[in-house]
Amino acid sequence: MYEYKESPSGERPAEAQRGSAARFRTRVSATGTGSSPMGGAMGPVLHWLHDVAAVTLLKARRTLFQAAVLFCVLGLLLWVSIFLYGSFYYSYMPTVSFSAPVHFYYNSDCDGSESELCSFPTANISLLKNDRDQVMAYGQPYRISLELELPESPVNEQLGMFMVKMLCYTKGGKMVSSVRRSTMLHYRSTLLQTLSTFFFSPLLLTGMAEQKQLIEVEIFSAYKTNSYQPTVGAVIEIQSKRVQIYSSQLRIHAYFTGVRYVLYNFPLTSAVIGVATNFAFLGVIVLFSYLQFIWGGLWPPDQVRIKVMMGDSTRMQQRREEVKKRMEKDNSQKELDSPRVIGSLNGASDDQADDTVVAQSSSTSFVEVNATEADVPNSEKDVSPDSVLLEEIDQSETTLRQRSGPAKSL
């Protein structure tokens, strides 16, 4: 047993404090050892869950970004398709119908006691919208008619038939077409007029109905304007001095055929087909552009890579110098190794001839090397100048080895 004495101040000695701390650490370690297997098993799981969550979040962000880009591209393509179809419809489809009020004028300088007019009622009508645009498109047939609102007066009933004349003119005032049509009031017997007046008397008394007839006179059934001489106006004349008219309207209606007939009579179906066609065409263009940007084309060509080794000029010069020195050394060594014969003049001359042949062969080899280097095409030098130089060196060495001197005899 370890005994200790307390100090007068009531503090434990240092040894006792260290012992108690050691026992406390032992308890803590024993307690932690029991929970270490669970902590060791949960650590990798938590790391795995963290990695899976990070990867899933990254994929979700990427997918969301791609979906947003795709949605924007599709919306832009749809808007452009609608705009193109609307522009085509506005430029291709002419004015369907046009109506203008007809205000007749006549001379009033004659005797006013007579019931007849001083001249035929005449009206001048402009066939331009806003005094600039043509009402009738070139080559398009139009139906032109005149609506006359005539009262059922005794004068008009006794008038009978009368003529309506129309003249079309160009910008310079030149007449391009002229036509005349006849018309009259519809016949109604006295009994029918009496019954109609009796039954519609409340409306007639309140002013909600009138005793009048609306007569439509077809002037042109298929009128076409000329592109070289477009029609800009018309003159309408009622060839009767006794006619009585409430009001009048000139109506122009286009008579469509072919594609224009389909566009006018089936507008919704035509719009769906037109927008879908534009959308498909623009989608194909965008797809090809994407493939060109990503892959370099729909069918990218095989990429051929050529590795070109470019040599330094200084390095090549050093190699040439080394090759020349080595060849000179080989020639000198060969001269030393060749046997020297002291004998007759013929032998000496033969040795001199042999030395001359060897010298000539060595000089010829140098010339061949230089000539070969000079005759090499630029493309070969660009591809591998080092390989060309090595081949030349090998060829020169092979030539020197194959050149053997003549046989010498003592």
Side-chain angles (χ1 to χ4, degrees), residues 94-326:
T95 303
V96 179
S97 61
F98 173 79
S99 62
V102 180
H103 302 286
F104 293 101
Y105 60 91
Y106 54 90
N107 296 330
S108 59
D109 54 354
C110 60
D111 189 4
S113 60
E114 298 180 0
S115 60
E116 295 183 357
L117 302 176
C118 299
S119 63
F120 294 150
T122 308
N124 191 357
I125 304 172
S126 175
L127 300 180
L128 296 176
K129 293 185 298 183
N130 301 324
D131 296 334
R132 293 182 303 174
D133 301 331
Q134 295 284 337
V135 172
M136 294 181 288
Y138 304 139
Q140 171 65 38
Y142 289 90
R143 179 179 180 270
I144 302 177
S145 61
L146 180 65
E147 292 183 356
L148 296 174
E149 189 176 1
L150 304 177
E152 293 181 342
S153 62
V155 176
N156 286 336
E157 290 178 355
Q158 296 176 3
L159 179 63
M161 295 181 63
F162 58 92
M163 300 293 295
V164 177
K165 181 180 180 181
M166 182 173 179
L167 301 175
C168 298
Y169 59 88
T170 61
K171 188 175 182 180
K174 181 180 179 180
M175 185 182 64
V176 292
S177 61
S178 175
V179 67
R180 294 182 182 184
R181 295 290 184 266
S182 62
T183 185
M184 64 175 297
L185 285 176
H186 296 285
Y187 174 74
R188 299 177 66 184
S189 63
T190 305
L191 178 61
L192 181 60
Q193 290 181 359
T194 304
L195 293 176
S196 176
T197 303
F198 177 77
F199 283 106
F200 290 101
S201 58
L203 299 177
L204 294 173
L205 292 175
T206 57
M208 299 179 63
E210 296 180 0
Q211 291 181 330
K212 62 181 180 180
Q213 293 185 14
L214 185 64
I215 301 175
E216 182 179 4
V217 182
E218 185 181 41
I219 301 176
F220 291 99
S221 59
Y223 181 80
K224 293 183 181 180
T225 182
N226 192 353
S227 59
Y228 298 100
Q229 296 178 347
T231 303
V232 298
V235 176
I236 299 176
E237 184 181 48
I238 307 297
Q239 295 183 345
S240 176
K241 294 181 180 182
R242 298 178 57 194
V243 65
Q244 297 176 352
I245 302 173
Y246 278 156
S247 63
S248 178
Q249 288 278 338
L250 180 67
R251 299 190 180 276
I252 301 176
H253 187 80
Y255 180 74
F256 295 128
T257 57
V259 178
R260 289 175 176 172
Y261 176 82
V262 176
L263 293 177
Y264 178 72
N265 292 279
F266 305 97
L268 183 60
T269 305
S270 303
V272 171
I273 295 175
V275 172
T277 303
N278 293 334
F279 185 83
F281 180 73
L282 294 176
V284 170
I285 293 178
V286 171
L287 179 61
F288 281 178
S289 302
Y290 177 77
L291 295 178
Q292 181 70 27
F293 178 75
I294 298 298
W295 293 346
L298 186 59
W299 293 282
D302 297 335
Q303 297 181 357
V304 181
R305 297 181 179 179
I306 301 175
K307 186 177 180 180
V308 180
M309 298 177 62
M310 302 298 293
D312 192 5
S313 59
T314 306
R315 186 179 176 185
M316 293 299 299
Q317 186 67 23
Q318 292 177 358
R319 288 192 177 186
R320 291 191 182 93
E321 295 294 336
E322 291 177 0
V323 170
K324 289 182 180 179
K325 290 180 181 180
R326 188 174 63 183

Side-chain angles (χ1 to χ4, degrees), residues 324-372:
K324 289 182 180 179
K325 290 180 181 180
R326 188 174 63 183
M327 293 178 66
E328 290 178 357
K329 185 178 179 180
D330 293 341
N331 292 333
S332 61
Q333 186 67 26
K334 188 173 182 180
E335 291 178 358
L336 292 175
D337 294 340
S338 60
R340 301 275 183 182
V341 179
I342 302 173
S344 62
L345 183 60
N346 294 331
S349 62
D350 292 338
D351 293 337
Q352 293 177 359
D354 295 338
D355 296 336
T356 305
V357 170
V358 172
Q360 291 178 358
S361 63
S362 62
S363 61
T364 305
S365 63
F366 285 115
V367 172
E368 290 177 356
V369 170
N370 295 330
T372 308

